[in-house]
Amino acid sequence: MYEMWAEHDPAVSPPAVVWHVVAKDDASSSLCGRFLEPSQRVVPPGDGADPAGPDRYCDPCLVTVREALAATAR
């Protein structure tokens, strides 16, 4: 099973939050191979009012999920 992990992406301007996919049994790295630091995790507020800026999704993580789903659908 997988879950989403948000963190600030310092590589983009304006600042944004990037979402990675992580395995629930090993949240130390994302599916794209990025090592995730728990202190860098962003927990968005439940009301959707996030002053941190726009959200982005990690394309390599999502490609890995898409490939895994396609393989199990066959």
Side-chain angles (χ1 to χ4, degrees), residues 31-63:
L31 295 184
C32 69
R34 179 174 171 82
F35 290 104
L36 302 172
E37 191 66 40
S39 65
Q40 298 297 318
R41 189 170 191 170
V42 174
V43 180
D47 62 4
D50 187 7
D55 287 0
R56 295 180 41 237
Y57 296 89
C58 175
D59 289 335
C61 282
L62 295 179
V63 166

Side-chain angles (χ1 to χ4, degrees), residues 8-17 52-54 56:
H8 290 288
D9 187 353
V12 298
S13 181
V17 172
R56 295 180 41 237

